[in-house]
Amino acid sequence: PPTLEVWKKQAARVAQGWAKCIVNHWRSILGTPKLSTWRKIALLLQLTGPFSGLSWIVVTFISALALLLGLSAPTNSIFSNPLYLILVSLPIFSYFVAAAYSLRIQKIMSPRNLLLLPLLSYTGYCMLTATSIGFVNGIMGRTGFFFRTPKSGPSLEPTKTRYFRSLKLDKIALVEGPLAVLALVLSIFVILTGVWFLGLTLVGFGVLTLKSMNLSRLLRKTDSMSEEKEE
């Protein structure tokens, strides 16, 4: 996907599909003799992966609100616990090792590509709200809108890229926008309490979520409407 907005919509579609697979096929997965126990566990963990985004949102915002309201001391925050930081760092470390190994076997390892790895992993924050909503919709059996991922490139006809012009802010944006703004506001108070890890996490979530919403398109649309009225 060429943009965060498109990538996010695709990820939300996938999350909803995985959730529906869990609801419809978890008994078949556990009962099949064709898979070993470990492979069954791996498959179920893969399909329930988007739930981690939902749990992250709940834990992160509750922790921030608890600090803001004085219900929890900064030293008692889970984000100040060294054990928690280690547990969070392990998957990140394994991600970088696997990504670096992938670059190596594809013979495209370079300083530039290595620097892109942390940026690529950080962009996952902008998808958490969309994938969480998609996962919940899938668990509830709701039928989602099929978003065909736009393709771009010099070899494509102009009609092939109409998707970009027809992209609109959907109902998910009504949740994403306020949540991103709340995250940025909370991050200021959290950083002032000294819980830097939680504060920087909220900043990343807020900034990237707003970035992925492509709000500049709304400004361009407003400007074009103003010009049409003047004419």
Side-chain angles (χ1 to χ4, degrees), residues 45-92:
L45 287 175
Q46 175 73 22
L47 294 176
T48 56
F51 178 75
S52 63
L54 179 60
S55 62
W56 180 91
I57 291 175
V58 172
V59 171
T60 301
F61 278 84
I62 287 180
S63 298
L65 289 171
L67 288 173
L68 177 62
L69 298 175
L71 302 176
S72 174
T75 54
N76 294 333
S77 173
I78 188 175
F79 290 90
S80 298
N81 190 316
L83 179 59
Y84 174 82
L85 297 180
I86 292 174
L87 291 176
V88 170
S89 301
L90 286 177
I92 298 175

Side-chain angles (χ1 to χ4, degrees), residues 178-200:
L179 205 59
V181 173
L182 176 61
L184 292 175
V185 173
L186 288 176
S187 68
I188 298 174
F189 295 98
V190 170
I191 290 175
L192 291 177
T193 64
V195 187
W196 291 91
F197 186 85
L198 175 56
L200 294 176

Side-chain angles (χ1 to χ4, degrees), residues 121-169:
S121 64
Y122 207 47
T123 56
Y125 278 117
C126 76
M127 306 180 193
L128 292 179
T129 306
T131 55
S132 297
I133 293 175
F135 186 77
V136 171
N137 285 337
I139 291 293
M140 298 177 67
R142 294 177 179 173
T143 302
F145 171 74
F146 182 80
F147 177 77
R148 188 180 297 279
T149 305
K151 308 298 188 297
S152 62
S155 62
L156 295 177
E157 300 175 6
T159 55
K160 299 290 186 180
T161 58
R162 287 178 183 170
Y163 301 107
F164 290 109
R165 293 193 293 273
S166 64
L167 280 173
K168 299 178 181 179
L169 293 178

